[in-house]
Amino acid sequence: MKLTKSQKVDLKAALIAGTAAGIFSGFVKLGWENVLPPRTPERDAVNPPQTLLEQFGIPQKITRGTYTYSHQQMPWASFLMHFGFSTSFAIIYEVLAQYKPFIRKGSGAIFGLAIWVAFHIGIMPMMKTVPSPKDQPTEEHISEALGHIAWMWTNDIVGRELYRRLTEQK
């Protein structure tokens, strides 16, 4: 959707649409990683969200804390980070797209790849949260790159449709 001069951005609708899209796409990315796991079990024993929190001084009793569901230990701190990241970037994407529609080029795929490059190839290796890109397995690059495309494509579809529904004239 391209805005005309007479149309105004409904920031509240963009925030709501981005939040909902981020939660939904967070589940998509988790599902993706169950089909194409990005890390070996050894490297995932302490996953990147846990490592990042520990780098910021959060104690392991929190970063590695779990809750039990269906007799399985689930990492709540990792999930908070996962959904926080997903929702934050979905909101950024949805709000930016209302002002700069070119952001939607590729229906989110280009934006998703840019986020993967920025974080998995750039920022997290520089911070030593994950190994250098050359030391990451090819399977990790494939899973993360394709997963970021699927994640942001989901944000694009869900966010765009929710924004449309929230702002359509009745």
Side-chain angles (χ1 to χ4, degrees), residues 29 32-33 36-40 43-44 48 116 120-121 124-125 129-133 135-148:
K29 185 76 164 63
W32 181 271
E33 291 178 355
L36 294 175
R39 289 170 295 281
T40 62
R43 282 217 28 243
D44 210 31
W116 168 66
H120 290 268
I121 305 299
M124 291 195 309
T129 305
V130 299
S132 164
D135 295 328
Q136 295 173 25
T138 301
E139 295 88 353
E140 183 166 348
H141 290 301
I142 291 169
S143 174
E144 290 290 3
L146 294 176
H148 277 72

Side-chain angles (χ1 to χ4, degrees), residues 85 89 110-127 130 133 136 148:
F85 182 89
F89 277 94
I110 295 168
F111 193 88
L113 280 174
I115 296 297
W116 168 66
V117 168
F119 282 87
H120 290 268
I121 305 299
I123 296 168
M124 291 195 309
M126 282 190 289
M127 292 178 63
V130 299
Q136 295 173 25
H148 277 72

Side-chain angles (χ1 to χ4, degrees), residues 56-165:
F56 286 126
I58 308 293
Q60 287 184 6
K61 69 180 182 177
I62 293 174
T63 64
R64 300 183 193 184
T66 61
Y67 65 93
T68 302
Y69 184 83
S70 191
H71 305 290
Q72 297 183 57
Q73 297 301 303
M74 308 305 293
W76 64 264
S78 296
F79 290 158
L80 282 176
M81 288 288 290
H82 173 84
F83 284 101
F85 182 89
S86 180
T87 302
S88 295
F89 277 94
I91 291 169
I92 290 167
Y93 178 80
E94 191 59 37
V95 170
L96 279 177
Q98 298 310 318
Y99 293 99
K100 302 291 182 188
F102 74 88
I103 294 291
R104 291 196 191 276
K105 285 277 187 206
S107 297
I110 295 168
F111 193 88
L113 280 174
I115 296 297
W116 168 66
V117 168
F119 282 87
H120 290 268
I121 305 299
I123 296 168
M124 291 195 309
M126 282 190 289
M127 292 178 63
K128 307 266 186 260
T129 305
V130 299
S132 164
K134 68 177 179 49
D135 295 328
Q136 295 173 25
T138 301
E139 295 88 353
E140 183 166 348
H141 290 301
I142 291 169
S143 174
E144 290 290 3
L146 294 176
H148 277 72
I149 290 170
W151 163 68
M152 195 49 72
W153 183 67
T154 303
N155 280 323
D156 182 74
I157 291 170
V158 174
R160 185 189 307 237
E161 179 61 15
L162 285 175
Y163 184 85
R164 185 191 68 75
R165 290 180 183 201

